[in-house]
Amino acid sequence: MGSLRMSAVLRLAAVTLVLCTCVCNAAECHGKPNPDAKPNTNAIDIAEPVFVKSVKDGKLFTVGHGDDMFHLVHVWGDPYAMGYAHGLLMGATAKNFMDSVWTYMEEQVEEAVNKSVPYFHEWFLQDVANLGLDAALDAEILATDLFSGK
Protein backbone atom coordinates (compact mmCIF):
# COMPACT_ATOMS: atom_id res chain seq x y z
CA MET A 1 0.00 0.00 0.00
CA GLY A 2 1.47 3.36 -1.00
CA SER A 3 2.36 5.90 1.67
CA LEU A 4 -0.32 8.34 0.42
CA ARG A 5 -2.98 5.62 0.54
CA MET A 6 -1.79 4.52 3.99
CA SER A 7 -1.88 8.13 5.16
CA ALA A 8 -5.49 8.47 3.96
CA VAL A 9 -6.43 5.22 5.73
CA LEU A 10 -4.78 6.41 8.94
CA ARG A 11 -6.56 9.77 8.72
CA LEU A 12 -9.91 8.06 8.23
CA ALA A 13 -9.19 5.73 11.14
CA ALA A 14 -8.31 8.71 13.36
CA VAL A 15 -11.50 10.60 12.49
CA THR A 16 -13.57 7.45 12.95
CA LEU A 17 -12.00 6.88 16.35
CA VAL A 18 -12.71 10.47 17.40
CA LEU A 19 -16.33 10.23 16.28
CA CYS A 20 -16.83 6.81 17.84
CA THR A 21 -15.52 7.93 21.21
CA CYS A 22 -17.80 10.96 21.07
CA VAL A 23 -20.99 9.09 20.29
CA CYS A 24 -20.44 5.72 21.98
CA ASN A 25 -22.38 6.73 25.09
CA ALA A 26 -25.50 7.23 23.01
CA ALA A 27 -25.10 3.84 21.32
CA GLU A 28 -25.17 1.61 24.38
CA CYS A 29 -28.28 -0.16 25.59
CA HIS A 30 -29.80 1.38 28.70
CA GLY A 31 -32.40 -1.16 29.66
CA LYS A 32 -34.59 -4.04 28.57
CA PRO A 33 -36.78 -4.38 25.50
CA ASN A 34 -40.26 -3.04 25.97
CA PRO A 35 -42.60 -6.05 26.37
CA ASP A 36 -45.40 -3.96 24.83
CA ALA A 37 -43.36 -3.04 21.75
CA LYS A 38 -44.88 -3.66 18.35
CA PRO A 39 -43.69 -7.07 17.09
CA ASN A 40 -41.72 -7.37 13.87
CA THR A 41 -44.25 -8.65 11.35
CA ASN A 42 -42.09 -8.07 8.28
CA ALA A 43 -42.10 -10.96 5.86
CA ILE A 44 -38.98 -13.11 5.75
CA ASP A 45 -37.49 -13.21 2.26
CA ILE A 46 -36.88 -16.87 1.37
CA ALA A 47 -35.88 -16.28 -2.26
CA GLU A 48 -32.67 -17.85 -3.48
CA PRO A 49 -29.60 -15.58 -3.65
CA VAL A 50 -29.10 -14.06 -7.11
CA PHE A 51 -25.69 -14.73 -8.70
CA VAL A 52 -23.83 -11.53 -9.64
CA LYS A 53 -20.30 -12.59 -10.58
CA SER A 54 -17.52 -15.04 -9.94
CA VAL A 55 -13.75 -14.73 -9.62
CA LYS A 56 -11.06 -17.24 -8.76
CA ASP A 57 -11.77 -18.32 -5.17
CA GLY A 58 -15.03 -16.41 -4.78
CA LYS A 59 -18.61 -15.69 -5.82
CA LEU A 60 -20.85 -12.67 -5.27
CA PHE A 61 -24.61 -12.88 -4.81
CA THR A 62 -27.35 -10.45 -3.84
CA VAL A 63 -30.16 -11.30 -1.46
CA GLY A 64 -33.41 -9.36 -1.04
CA HIS A 65 -34.86 -6.46 -2.99
CA GLY A 66 -34.77 -2.66 -2.92
CA ASP A 67 -33.71 -1.20 0.42
CA ASP A 68 -33.61 -4.72 1.89
CA MET A 69 -30.99 -5.96 -0.60
CA PHE A 70 -27.55 -6.97 0.67
CA HIS A 71 -24.45 -8.63 -0.77
CA LEU A 72 -23.55 -12.22 0.02
CA VAL A 73 -19.90 -13.04 -0.61
CA HIS A 74 -18.68 -16.64 -0.67
CA VAL A 75 -14.88 -17.02 -0.68
CA TRP A 76 -12.58 -19.98 -0.19
CA GLY A 77 -8.89 -20.85 -0.13
CA ASP A 78 -6.13 -19.61 2.16
CA PRO A 79 -6.51 -16.25 3.89
CA TYR A 80 -4.66 -14.39 1.12
CA ALA A 81 -6.80 -15.97 -1.62
CA MET A 82 -10.00 -15.20 0.31
CA GLY A 83 -8.96 -11.59 0.88
CA TYR A 84 -7.93 -11.14 -2.75
CA ALA A 85 -11.22 -12.62 -4.01
CA HIS A 86 -13.19 -10.48 -1.57
CA GLY A 87 -11.37 -7.39 -2.85
CA LEU A 88 -12.10 -8.27 -6.48
CA LEU A 89 -15.77 -8.91 -5.71
CA MET A 90 -16.46 -6.01 -3.36
CA GLY A 91 -13.64 -3.53 -4.06
CA ALA A 92 -15.77 -0.92 -5.83
CA THR A 93 -18.50 -1.19 -3.19
CA ALA A 94 -15.93 -0.81 -0.39
CA LYS A 95 -14.35 2.20 -2.13
CA ASN A 96 -17.74 3.87 -2.56
CA PHE A 97 -18.51 3.22 1.10
CA MET A 98 -15.17 4.65 2.28
CA ASP A 99 -15.61 7.70 0.04
CA SER A 100 -19.07 8.34 1.48
CA VAL A 101 -17.78 7.86 5.05
CA TRP A 102 -14.96 10.33 4.38
CA THR A 103 -17.46 12.84 2.97
CA TYR A 104 -19.64 12.38 6.06
CA MET A 105 -16.65 12.91 8.34
CA GLU A 106 -15.70 16.09 6.52
CA GLU A 107 -19.27 17.36 6.82
CA GLN A 108 -19.29 16.61 10.55
CA VAL A 109 -16.04 18.50 11.09
CA GLU A 110 -17.30 21.40 8.97
CA GLU A 111 -20.49 21.54 11.05
CA ALA A 112 -18.43 21.39 14.22
CA VAL A 113 -16.25 24.26 13.00
CA ASN A 114 -19.49 26.19 12.41
CA LYS A 115 -20.59 25.26 15.97
CA SER A 116 -23.60 23.19 14.93
CA VAL A 117 -22.06 19.89 16.18
CA PRO A 118 -20.75 20.03 19.79
CA TYR A 119 -18.47 17.00 20.20
CA PHE A 120 -15.01 18.13 18.97
CA HIS A 121 -12.36 19.80 21.13
CA GLU A 122 -11.81 23.45 20.27
CA TRP A 123 -8.08 22.94 19.60
CA PHE A 124 -8.87 20.26 16.99
CA LEU A 125 -11.37 22.54 15.27
CA GLN A 126 -8.81 25.36 15.22
CA ASP A 127 -6.31 22.99 13.58
CA VAL A 128 -8.92 22.03 10.98
CA ALA A 129 -9.78 25.67 10.32
CA ASN A 130 -6.13 26.73 10.05
CA LEU A 131 -4.55 23.67 8.41
CA GLY A 132 -7.38 21.76 6.72
CA LEU A 133 -8.77 18.38 7.72
CA ASP A 134 -5.97 16.29 6.20
CA ALA A 135 -3.20 18.26 7.93
CA ALA A 136 -5.11 18.38 11.22
CA LEU A 137 -5.53 14.60 11.20
CA ASP A 138 -1.84 14.13 10.33
CA ALA A 139 -0.94 16.37 13.28
CA GLU A 140 -3.29 14.36 15.52
CA ILE A 141 -1.60 11.12 14.46
CA LEU A 142 1.86 12.56 15.10
CA ALA A 143 0.75 13.86 18.50
CA THR A 144 -0.57 10.43 19.54
CA ASP A 145 2.15 8.20 18.00
CA LEU A 146 3.85 7.85 21.37
CA PHE A 147 0.67 6.43 22.88
CA SER A 148 -0.58 4.29 19.99
CA GLY A 149 1.71 1.32 20.45
CA LYS A 150 3.81 1.87 17.32
Side-chain angles (χ1 to χ4, degrees):
M1 187 176 287
S3 64
L4 287 176
R5 180 82 173 137
M6 182 58 85
S7 177
V9 169
L10 289 174
R11 283 191 300 248
L12 181 58
V15 169
T16 303
L17 181 61
V18 168
L19 285 177
C20 286
T21 57
C22 295
V23 298
C24 67
N25 269 348
E28 68 184 66
C29 182
H30 295 286
K32 299 179 192 173
N34 181 348
D36 300 321
K38 180 181 172 188
N40 180 356
T41 58
N42 295 332
I44 296 174
D45 190 343
I46 58 172
E48 289 291 317
V50 176
F51 176 78
V52 176
K53 71 178 180 177
S54 178
V55 297
K56 183 179 184 292
D57 298 320
K59 292 182 181 180
L60 175 63
F61 302 87
T62 58
V63 179
H65 305 284
D67 289 340
D68 294 330
M69 192 274 298
F70 63 92
H71 298 283
L72 173 65
V73 180
H74 183 125
V75 292
W76 54 87
D78 62 37
Y80 180 85
M82 290 189 293
Y84 191 80
H86 194 269
L88 289 175
L89 293 167
M90 295 297 294
T93 302
K95 182 188 180 313
N96 291 339
F97 173 75
M98 293 302 287
D99 290 346
S100 65
V101 168
W102 183 256
T103 300
Y104 171 78
M105 299 291 185
E106 288 178 324
E107 291 168 357
Q108 291 297 296
V109 170
E110 183 178 312
E111 289 176 14
V113 168
N114 295 329
K115 305 293 187 220
S116 59
V117 175
Y119 44 76
F120 287 101
H121 292 285
E122 187 61 35
W123 60 264
F124 179 74
L125 297 177
Q126 288 300 319
D127 283 351
V128 171
N130 295 330
L131 306 171
L133 180 59
D134 291 352
L137 291 175
D138 286 341
E140 178 76 11
I141 290 169
L142 290 173
T144 59
D145 266 353
L146 181 62
F147 310 103
S148 65
K150 288 185 179 183

